Amino acid sequence: MADFSSRMAVSHFFIIFSLIYFSGFGFLRGITALGINYGQVGDNLLSPQKVLHLLSSLRLTKARIYDTNPQILTSFANSNIELIVTVENEMLAQLIYPQQALQWVSTHIKPYFPATRITGIAVGNEIFTGDDTTLMAYLVPAMVSIHGALVQLGLDSHIQVSTPSSLAVLAESYPPSAGSFKSEVYATMSQVLKFLASTKSPFWINAYPYFAYKDDPERISLDYVLFNPNSGMVDPYTKLHYDNMLYAQVDAVIFAIARMGYDGIEVRVSETGWPSKGDLNEVGATIENAAVYNRNLLRRQLQKEGTPLRPNIRVEVYLFALFNEDLKPGPTSERNYGLYQPDGTMCYNVGLSTLSSTSSTSTTSISLTSSATKVKP
């Protein structure tokens, strides 16, 4: 017979589970939950004007950039693209000061808004992944100062402030109900979550099932990570069935957040994708797998799916990436996540134009098959 503490732990788990499961009902998100990451670490990239044309031809209405490039912000004015911009990691030290943050927002955001539909500011990127504790200490003060500047300028109701994290922030992610944050990020993460809850902003996670498969291809099913038909897995505690790894990763993050006392924060996928090419030791990095992963993910988007834990809240996802960024350092895969080459040549055809035009479950039309396979530079 379980002792009192064990029974209390089980009881606490089911309280958490009930809160975060039932909090999803009645809040079905809209149909525009798909975006794409527009990186610029490439040679001979299309001009921002051509990129805007490309996004329009793909019928995508959300994009994320990794800076506040004025050419992009100007070119995207008076379009239907909702844009998330980024404060580079090296800028955080300056922006912990309210006056500096006000100057930054006044210079990099206010002149372009509302003509350019800036909807989010990503403060840094994957701050928790490295060992830079000083940078980590700057994160929340910078977020607070930037949000304060938005409030002062009357922009806070239009622009959310958050920070994308990698799955490396989790100490446990399997099964999803065991999701918890690493002890070394706990203190700062608690402050981040308090900020997100108080400003009603989302938690952004960069989630790549590819990495899990690459590291353990003998034990992890390729069909499971590619959204192909498979038997999936059942969480032994929640009894929820998962037929793909991405949704399991998202729910693990939701559980980790709930364990810290926050059950109402929405989790959005700020990056996910699959490389079409890799080094010899990068198992699974093929053009076939990349096409299947992105195609199946987009099919799920058309079906307006939520995760098993929050079935009525459609997962907002930003694909990584629009372009192969041929100047990025690191393994070959880092330069081969794009749907397109830097010059606008299509890397592979995701093939959803027919599906999007015939789908009876959605009024949106998401297509990754442009009428031309190359946009003129």
Side-chain angles (χ1 to χ4, degrees):
M1 181 176 180
D3 59 23
F4 178 74
S5 60
S6 298
R7 283 183 278 124
M8 286 297 292
V10 172
S11 175
H12 180 63
F13 165 79
F14 280 106
I15 290 173
I16 291 176
F17 171 61
S18 298
L19 284 172
I20 58 184
Y21 182 82
F22 290 107
S23 66
F25 284 87
F27 296 95
L28 185 62
R29 291 185 56 79
I31 59 175
T32 55
L34 177 70
I36 198 158
N37 286 276
Y38 169 17
Q40 304 156 60
V41 190
D43 193 22
N44 297 320
L45 283 172
L46 295 179
S47 68
Q49 293 88 350
K50 292 295 183 182
V51 171
L52 177 60
H53 174 73
L54 178 59
L55 293 177
S56 298
S57 72
L58 301 179
R59 301 173 189 175
L60 293 171
T61 59
K62 295 176 184 286
R64 174 187 170 211
I65 60 175
Y66 292 84
D67 53 19
T68 53
N69 186 320
Q71 290 182 311
I72 295 175
L73 295 180
T74 300
S75 297
F76 280 36
N78 304 310
S79 72
N80 68 336
I81 304 296
E82 296 181 5
L83 197 62
I84 294 174
V85 301
T86 301
V87 177
E88 298 94 325
N89 290 2
E90 56 269 22
M91 288 292 298
L92 265 61
Q94 301 175 38
L95 299 183
I96 65 174
Y97 304 105
Q99 193 58 39
Q100 294 279 14
L102 178 61
Q103 182 178 347
W104 185 88
V105 173
S106 298
T107 302
H108 294 84
I109 304 297
K110 190 174 185 296
Y112 305 99
F113 184 89
T116 300
R117 300 176 64 187
I118 301 170
T119 59
I121 299 175
V123 181
N125 188 51
E126 299 190 349
I127 297 295
F128 294 100
T129 301
D131 298 323
D132 192 338
T133 55
T134 301
L135 186 61
M136 199 182 301
Y138 292 148
L139 177 59
V140 176
M143 294 173 73
V144 170
S145 293
I146 291 169
H147 180 260
L150 292 172
V151 171
Q152 191 169 339
L153 296 171
L155 303 177
D156 58 299
S157 62
H158 305 284
I159 301 173
Q160 295 178 314
V161 176
S162 188
T163 184
S165 297
S166 77
L167 277 175
V169 297
L170 296 184
E172 298 289 343
S173 62
Y174 182 87
S177 61
S180 60
F181 290 112
K182 290 180 176 178
S183 58
E184 55 265 38
V185 306
Y186 197 93
T188 303
M189 186 61 73
S190 179
Q191 298 174 45
V192 169
L193 295 176
K194 182 179 180 180
F195 171 84
L196 297 180
S198 67
T199 60
K200 296 181 173 56
S201 299
F203 186 97
W204 288 333
I205 190 72
N206 297 342
Y208 290 88
Y210 161 72
F211 291 134
Y213 177 75
K214 176 181 72 72
D215 292 341
D216 197 359
E218 297 299 322
R219 297 178 57 190
I220 295 177
S221 164
L222 182 60
D223 286 331
Y224 180 63
V225 294
L226 291 180
F227 295 91
N228 280 333
N230 67 96
S231 59
M233 60 84 66
V234 175
D235 189 304
Y237 300 101
T238 64
K239 307 304 180 185
L240 294 175
H241 177 261
Y242 292 85
D243 65 358
N244 70 86
M245 182 175 284
L246 181 66
Y247 288 1
Q249 291 175 335
V250 171
D251 280 354
V253 173
I254 295 173
F255 265 106
I257 292 171
R259 279 195 164 82
M260 297 187 70
Y262 299 92
D263 59 86
I265 296 175
E266 182 184 357
V267 175
R268 299 179 184 175
V269 180
S270 41
E271 289 182 15
T272 192
W274 196 284
S276 59
K277 186 179 180 181
D279 295 321
L280 290 177
N281 64 340
E282 295 187 290
V283 180
T286 68
I287 197 166
E288 293 81 11
N289 288 341
V292 170
Y293 181 83
N294 286 320
R295 181 184 301 123
N296 285 340
L297 174 59
L298 294 175
R299 286 178 185 272
R300 299 298 184 106
Q301 286 283 295
L302 284 171
Q303 294 167 9
K304 300 186 286 188
E305 284 190 344
T307 67
L309 187 59
R310 287 181 172 172
N312 281 21
I313 300 181
R314 182 178 177 182
V315 183
E316 182 164 307
V317 174
Y318 282 73
L319 289 178
F320 188 88
L322 184 59
F323 295 114
N324 280 343
E325 298 176 78
D326 57 332
L327 298 182
K328 291 186 75 172
T332 298
S333 62
E334 284 295 313
R335 295 177 289 282
N336 288 279
Y337 275 91
L339 302 179
Y340 288 83
Q341 298 291 357
D343 66 354
T345 304
M346 186 181 288
C347 296
Y348 53 87
N349 193 330
V350 179
L352 282 182
S353 58
T354 302
L355 174 65
S356 63
S357 63
T358 59
S359 173
S360 61
T361 61
S362 174
T363 58
T364 191
S365 181
I366 300 171
S367 171
L368 289 180
T369 53
S370 174
S371 58
T373 59
K374 181 174 179 178
V375 177
K376 294 180 181 179

